[in-house]
Structure formats: C-alpha cells, structure tokens
Amino acid sequence: MAYFAYQQFKTSEQNAYLQSFANLNTASHLVSAQIEAASSKLFLLDDAKSITQFNYTAKRILKHSPIYADVIYVNNETMQTRSVLLHSTKAQQDPNIIWTPLVKMSPNIAISSLYEKTPGYWVFAVKYSPDHQHQIWLEFDLMHATQSLRGLRTLNDGYVFVIDRHTERLIFHPDPTRIGSPSISYHGGVSELIASGQQFGRHEYYYQDQFKMTVFDANNPLDWVFISGTDRSDILAASNQFTLTGIFIASLLFIIISISYLIHQLNHALRLLNQQTEVADFKSQFRATVDRFLSHQGVQFCLYDSENDQFSTLDFHGNSTIIMCDANLASYFMPGDIQYKGKHQADPLAKKLMIRSRHYSLPLFSNKELIAVIYIKAFFPNFHTLVRMIRDYSEIALSNVLLHKKLMSKDVMTQLDNKHIIRAAIDQNIDNEHVFFALVDIDRFQRINDEHGHKCGDKIIRETAEIMQTCFSKPRAISHARYGGDEFCVLFHATDENDAYEQCDIFRQLIEKRGYLHNDQPLHYTISMGVTRVWVSQHITIDQADKALYQAKGLGRNQVVLNTFKS
C-alpha cells in the first residue's frame, strides 16, 4: 500500500516539474515578444521628423498599449530628461539604474533594472540610443505588462514569478501588491545557486510551514530570474485520492493489482495530454484516454471563446464550427463541477449538440474563466475518482495548450497564425507544385480608419479574417495568417495555377459583395491579392507574392494577380 502511494507521489512530483519547466519556457517567450514589440516602437519614435510628430506618435502608443507607462526623451548633450506625459523624471535620473545591452536584438537597445517611478509604482524601461546625442526610453507598467503570466500555473496552487537580478526585487507576482518588493523565495537559496554559476535548475526550501519546490532559469539576456513551482502539499494533494483508493481495496489483492495497473496507464495517458501543443491533438488524445478508461457512448468537445461568447466544435483537421452564441450560458457552468445528468436535465448547449441520453458534463476553466465544456455520454455512472482525475488533468493541460498557442503562434486580434508560423509552413512545402501562397491587402485601409475610426478598422480586420477562413477551409488551406496591420496571407492547396487564381478571386468577390454594417450604414471595402507558387525558399516565395500584390495595386486595386515567375 505504501508502495502504491509512493509511486503516485513520485508521478505527481514529476508532473509538477514538467509543468514548471513548460511554464518557464512560455513566460520567457512572452516577455521576449513584448521586448521585441517595444523595440519596434522605439524605432518608430526615432523616425519622427519633429518634436510635435514625436509627441503625437508617443501618445498614440501609450493610449493604445496599457502595458506602457511613459515615453522618456533624454538629451545626452544637455542631460535634460523629458516625459511625454509631463511627469516628474527624477526617478529616471537615478544613477543606480543598471542597463543591460540586448546585443542579439540590436547594439543600440538596452533594458533597465527595476526602478520606482513614483512611490509604490514600479517600472522598467527599454532604451534606444541611436547616436551620442539622445536616448529614447519606453517604460513598462508592471501592473499590466506581465499580468498575462497569471494564467501559468503548476498543479493547483503553483505559479510563476520573476525577479530582477540587479535589484533582487519582484518584477512579476500573481499578487500585484508584491511587485517591487524583495523576493523571499529568491533569497531562500536560489540566489546562492546562481552566484555559484548555476543558471538553471531545481531548488527546495522551507517557508511559512511549507516545503516549496521550484524550478529557476536565469539564462537569459535580460538579467532576470524566472521561477516556477508549488508547495509539497499541492503535490501530495494530487496523490491523496489514489492513496484513499488503495486503502479501500487493501483487502482484495487482485483488485489492488488491477487498480495499480490502471493508475499507471492513466498517468501515462494524462502525461501525453500535457505534451500536446495543438487543440486538435489535445482533443484526439483526450478521446483516446476516455476510450481506454471510461465506459461511454460518445464524447462531445466544445471550446468557448469568452471574447465573442461563442461555443464551437473542432473537427480532426482543426476546423472550428460555431454552435452557439450566448453571453449568459457561460455563467451556467461552475469551476470544478462534475455533473451526471439525464436527458431531461441537459443544459442548452447539450441540447444544441443533440445529446439525448444520460451524460457527464465537464466544464474546464483557466483562471476562473470557462475555456471548454466536455460531454461524455454514459448510460451508467463511472468511477468518480477516475472522472475527476481526467477532468482535473485535462483542465490544466488544455489551459497550457491554449495559452501557449495564443502566445507563440496566434495573432491576438484575429486568432490567425502569425508570420513566423506561416513562414515555417512555407518551408515545409517548398517545391510542392500543388501548394500556393497569397498575400492579401485591404484596399485604402488607412482611409477607413481616418473616416470611420480604429474600432471600425479593427472590425474590418476581424471580418476579413473570418471570411478568409471560410473561403479557404482546412485541409485545403494549410495556414491562414495575419502578416501585419491590414495585410494577411494564406498558404493553400490548388491543382494548378488556374485553380489557385480562381480560389483567390472567389475570396476577392466575397469581400467585395459583403456589406459590413457600421452605425447602421452599409460599408463596402475591397482587397488586392498577389499569388505565387511555393518554391525555392520562403523568402523568394514571399517576395514573388509581394511583387504580384504591388502589381495588383498598380492596376487599380480590387485585383488578383498571379505571379508565374520561374528561373
């Protein structure tokens, strides 16, 4: 009996470490993406031709990006420091601020140590020094900049926090009031390990009557320390249910052997859930797990989009289909709830999915927000502990899949792939004569923004993305992406150049004919497209599509131009 409990404890401990490693990787990528985005805005500010244009651009950046606190201009010759928001710059003149060059990004870019802008208001800055005459700082508001890390968790109680090595203060903590305070965990032994030369590893320490297990990573150009972990009690809690099960069946040896084998196999299957990076793969692995360990007559998997209040299903190719749009239905489900219902107690979503038998309803949450609902049809109740374990592990695994996918591969506004994902997809299809690449540009988009406002422009971008996904559905489409601003691209299969052109022209006609209502008035817009066959390299492919797009604009816009370039 003790052996089974110990084995389950070791499995839970290993799962905690694996989740912590994954959390550190995701957190590091998120922060790096934000620093890169800040660098591009600094380059934009440096291009300003006058003080008036500089102030206008800076205020627009601050208005539309709550993660930024202020823009600071420093004249190296006069040593004058100016805040765009006209705040005091006494904090920025502190000689104790330490700058770390980000050489891999640019020799002129550096990141500061943590400093207190005003009492209790902690920030850090990314600095661009194009010459010896001036500097431009873009300050990050830590109350906003790193709060997206709150979704990263280890088991139930663990979380991620980040420390500035120079000040040894917290840059991020799930409790915002802790930002800027000294880190107890860092001084619990991690700082000594880093000082000895160990940049990555595990550490355990004792704090507030609890043994803490952590994984730390200080191997990054920011001079930050990323730490993820949880309490030992959290690891023990994950194994308590199986210890109780073992006690209950202690008198029956053959049941002990059967349950032990079942637990071992279930843990292996659930670990595979944690290894998935795509929602479609997660769904497939979840179905395989349920098929092995639960008696059922079918599984229905529904994702929930909280921004649009949409419930949608997913096929095996990754195509989603919206089932319901209901702003109030999400409040029907509660975190941790597992219900076994008859057909007459089915909720509205189950009825929409045509579930007419007894079933389990398993809502999955991330940070108290609904992310999915799973229905398992079952004529008879299953072992509740198995159902609970599958639900709990699935909730954590799906939360990490969605967060990782959002941070690493998706455009935030449209949920299309980003340019890095589609570039990789082009590389995978080089010289495939049946794969084509198209660049899409919304015609006169700046005029739409100027005449109708950016909110209307954002809706036009989302509308274009939805129509593109509908027109180029998977598996015919390999990847849909937002390439930047009002520019999109799609990688798709076609039998030949004529077929590729026809597919793109159908998309162009759909956009042209579709009337978008803005302030109860129809608003029509058009697109231009450049199409080419994928070959040689991603750079040549994109360049040829770009040339075709440029030609389409030159022909008067609202055109599709096919580039048949060969060499």
Side-chain angles (χ1 to χ4, degrees):
M1 196 64 57
Y3 171 77
F4 297 133
Y6 175 75
Q7 288 298 318
Q8 180 56 38
F9 168 77
K10 296 301 291 183
T11 299
S12 299
E13 181 182 49
Q14 183 65 17
N15 285 339
Y17 278 120
L18 289 174
Q19 290 174 19
S20 296
F21 287 135
N23 288 344
L24 291 183
N25 186 47
T26 300
S28 177
H29 281 296
L30 172 61
V31 171
S32 296
Q34 290 180 338
I35 300 298
E36 289 180 5
S39 300
S40 66
K41 290 177 172 59
L42 286 170
F43 296 144
L44 181 65
L45 288 168
D46 188 53
D47 288 337
K49 304 301 182 183
S50 64
I51 294 177
T52 301
Q53 184 182 355
F54 179 90
N55 289 339
Y56 175 77
T57 303
K59 289 179 180 178
R60 282 181 60 85
I61 290 172
L62 296 174
K63 178 181 178 181
H64 295 288
S65 301
I67 66 173
Y68 302 130
D70 203 348
V71 175
I72 307 297
Y73 181 86
V74 180
N75 189 316
N76 292 337
E77 296 178 345
T78 63
M79 298 309 295
Q80 289 183 332
T81 305
R82 179 173 67 86
S83 162
V84 166
L85 299 179
L86 302 181
H87 293 157
S88 169
T89 58
K90 183 178 179 180
Q92 289 81 356
Q93 299 170 23
D94 185 352
N96 294 320
I97 295 177
I98 299 173
W99 292 96
T100 302
L102 300 180
V103 179
K104 290 185 177 180
M105 188 176 300
S106 169
N108 299 325
I109 297 289
I111 186 170
S112 75
S113 56
L114 193 67
Y115 60 91
E116 195 171 18
K117 187 175 178 70
T118 58
Y121 185 20
W122 293 87
V123 300
F124 72 89
V126 176
K127 176 178 70 173
Y128 178 51
S129 306
D131 50 44
H132 298 294
Q133 296 178 351
H134 67 280
Q135 307 170 16
I136 305 173
W137 299 14
L138 184 55
E139 292 182 332
F140 280 77
D141 182 349
L142 292 176
M143 294 296 289
H144 294 281
T146 54
Q147 288 309 301
S148 54
L149 300 182
R150 297 180 68 180
L152 299 173
R153 53 180 180 156
T154 302
L155 298 183
N156 291 319
D157 300 328
Y159 51 84
V160 171
F161 52 99
V162 186
I163 297 100
D164 178 9
R165 290 177 65 176
H166 298 297
T167 62
E168 299 184 351
R169 293 177 180 272
L170 284 162
I171 294 174
F172 165 75
H173 193 279
D175 180 1
T177 62
R178 292 287 309 280
I179 292 176
S181 64
S183 170
I184 298 172
S185 300
Y186 184 65
H187 291 291
V190 174
S191 60
E192 288 82 358
L193 292 174
I194 294 175
S196 68
Q198 186 174 346
Q199 300 296 301
F200 182 86
R202 303 178 180 180
H203 180 63
E204 294 193 23
Y205 62 97
Y206 187 75
Y207 173 64
Q208 291 187 344
D209 301 326
Q210 289 284 352
F211 280 103
K212 306 277 188 176
M213 58 75 60
T214 61
V215 176
F216 67 92
D217 182 7
N219 186 21
N220 60 79
L222 308 176
D223 275 345
W224 290 2
V225 181
F226 293 83
I227 300 179
S228 177
T230 189
D231 299 337
R232 277 286 173 187
S233 59
D234 195 15
I235 298 174
L236 289 170
S239 61
N240 283 343
Q241 52 189 322
F242 290 96
T243 303
L244 295 175
T245 302
I247 294 174
F248 176 74
I249 60 174
S251 60
L252 305 172
L253 183 58
F254 73 95
I255 297 180
I256 289 177
I257 297 173
S258 301
I259 293 295
S260 298
Y261 178 76
L262 179 65
I263 291 171
H264 174 76
Q265 293 297 315
L266 180 56
N267 275 322
H268 176 71
L270 294 175
R271 281 199 297 271
L272 293 178
L273 277 178
N274 273 323
Q275 297 173 10
Q276 307 308 314
T277 57
E278 296 292 336
V279 179
D281 295 335
F282 171 87
K283 175 189 174 183
S284 178
Q285 180 59 39
F286 178 85
R287 177 60 188 261
T289 302
V290 171
D291 288 344
R292 287 188 63 190
F293 299 100
L294 297 180
S295 173
H296 71 96
Q297 287 73 46
V299 177
Q300 290 274 22
F301 178 84
C302 265
L303 282 172
Y304 176 63
D305 178 3
S306 59
E307 293 185 0
N308 301 302
D309 298 313
Q310 294 175 344
F311 292 85
S312 57
T313 58
L314 204 69
D315 65 20
F316 289 103
H317 297 296
N319 297 306
S320 63
T321 302
I322 298 174
I323 299 299
M324 287 188 71
C325 241
D326 191 332
N328 300 317
L329 183 56
S331 61
Y332 182 89
F333 303 99
M334 302 299 294
D337 196 18
I338 296 179
Q339 295 190 22
Y340 182 64
K341 302 178 179 180
K343 62 180 180 180
H344 299 297
Q345 291 84 41
D347 58 66
L349 180 58
K351 292 178 181 177
K352 189 71 174 180
L353 294 169
M354 309 296 288
I355 298 177
R356 299 191 178 95
S357 61
R358 300 188 67 83
H359 61 274
Y360 281 98
S361 172
L362 308 179
L364 306 184
F365 285 77
S366 175
N367 213 20
K368 297 184 179 180
E369 290 189 0
L370 183 69
I371 55 175
V373 183
I374 298 175
Y375 297 99
I376 303 175
K377 299 177 186 178
F379 291 143
F380 301 101
N382 283 272
F383 188 34
H384 185 78
T385 300
L386 290 178
V387 179
R388 169 68 64 177
M389 183 177 180
I390 291 173
R391 194 210 73 87
D392 290 349
Y393 274 76
S394 299
E395 183 174 72
I396 294 172
L398 182 59
S399 297
N400 289 337
V401 167
L402 293 176
L403 182 59
H404 182 270
K405 190 175 182 64
K406 182 178 181 180
L407 296 179
M408 299 302 297
S409 64
K410 292 296 181 183
D411 173 66
V412 175
M413 179 183 294
T414 63
Q415 293 304 301
L416 299 180
D417 293 339
N418 59 28
K419 64 172 64 177
H420 303 294
I421 297 301
I422 200 165
R423 282 176 177 271
I426 293 174
D427 282 336
Q428 293 172 1
N429 290 275
I430 291 297
D431 292 330
N432 186 333
E433 63 178 5
H434 298 298
V435 175
F436 289 78
F437 174 75
L439 274 174
V440 184
D441 188 79
I442 299 176
D443 294 332
R444 296 183 175 88
F445 182 72
Q446 186 60 46
R447 181 185 297 177
I448 295 175
N449 275 338
D450 294 340
E451 294 180 359
H452 303 284
H454 287 277
K455 186 174 181 179
C456 174
D458 290 346
K459 289 184 178 180
I460 290 293
I461 287 175
R462 286 193 289 267
E463 181 90 359
T464 304
E466 291 175 6
I467 297 174
M468 182 169 68
Q469 289 176 291
T470 301
C471 190
F472 295 93
S473 62
K474 295 183 178 180
R476 181 180 61 181
I478 300 171
S479 175
H480 319 87
R482 185 182 178 194
Y483 208 69
D486 60 326
E487 196 169 41
F488 301 82
C489 52
V490 58
L491 189 68
F492 62 101
H493 293 280
T495 55
D496 53 29
E497 292 179 342
N498 290 332
D499 182 34
Y501 180 88
E502 290 176 2
Q503 291 185 47
C504 292
D505 200 52
I506 289 172
F507 175 40
R508 181 196 63 79
Q509 293 179 45
L510 285 175
I511 293 290
E512 183 182 16
K513 295 176 182 178
R514 183 107 169 216
Y516 166 68
L517 285 178
H518 176 66
N519 294 334
D520 297 326
Q521 296 295 324
L523 174 62
H524 291 274
Y525 67 99
T526 61
I527 59 172
S528 299
M529 297 184 69
V531 193
T532 186
R533 191 188 301 274
V534 170
W535 70 296
V536 181
S537 71
Q538 59 165 274
H539 302 291
I540 291 179
T541 298
I542 295 172
D543 181 63
Q544 295 308 310
D546 191 52
K547 289 178 179 177
L549 175 60
Y550 183 80
Q551 185 178 355
K553 292 181 180 179
L555 291 172
R557 298 183 174 86
N558 194 20
Q559 304 281 334
V560 176
V561 172
L562 177 68
N563 194 330
T564 58
F565 173 80
K566 291 281 186 179
S567 68

